[in-house]
Amino acid sequence: QVQLVESGGGLVQAGGSLRLSCAASRSIFNINFMGWYRQAPGKQRELVAAFLSGSSTKYADSVKGRFTISRDYAKNTVYLQMNSLKPEDTAVYYCNILWGTQGYWGQGTQVTVSS
């Protein structure tokens, strides 16, 4: 059973930064998809940022230029650097990694941005 452990969430003022981490219990080398989603109260879960096959990336329009997804193969960890945070970024953030056809989710980490 693969485990994804997220960390790095918290309370931050608008304009501040946070870095989320997602540590996997399995190698993330040569993965076709790894991404970060978020879900705000009363809203659907949405894709925030992702690595697609190869090194291509995808970002939601709302976070382009502010968020950056990265990865460390040696640590089997995916990161989400979030800068210039806004109150509308408040949500529970989840990482998702797809090994072949099997996907796994982290437990989620709360990000709260105060105005």
Side-chain angles (χ1 to χ4, degrees):
Q1 182 72 15
V2 177
Q3 290 188 329
L4 303 180
V5 179
E6 297 153 358
S7 60
L11 173 65
V12 64
Q13 288 188 332
S17 298
L18 286 173
R19 188 177 79 156
L20 306 183
S21 300
C22 173
S25 61
R26 178 178 174 179
S27 173
I28 62 170
F29 183 73
N30 210 27
I31 293 298
N32 287 333
F33 179 89
M34 58 182 81
W36 288 94
Y37 290 76
R38 68 185 179 188
Q39 188 166 19
K43 295 187 177 181
Q44 289 189 331
R45 191 173 295 190
E46 62 172 349
L47 178 65
V48 175
F51 278 111
L52 307 178
S53 59
S55 297
S56 62
T57 56
K58 177 181 176 66
Y59 292 93
D61 288 343
S62 59
V63 306
K64 283 181 181 177
R66 299 189 298 122
F67 290 12
T68 304
I69 189 170
S70 62
R71 56 196 169 187
D72 185 330
Y73 289 126
K75 296 181 179 180
N76 292 326
T77 299
V78 183
Y79 302 98
L80 184 67
Q81 178 67 44
M82 305 185 294
N83 299 328
S84 302
L85 282 161
K86 304 176 181 180
E88 51 263 43
D89 295 318
T90 295
V92 179
Y93 284 71
Y94 300 88
C95 66
N96 174 253
I97 301 179
L98 191 67
W99 280 272
T101 59
Q102 185 67 49
Y104 295 87
W105 292 91
Q107 81 283 3
T109 185
Q110 176 71 46
V111 171
T112 302
V113 184
S114 63
S115 58

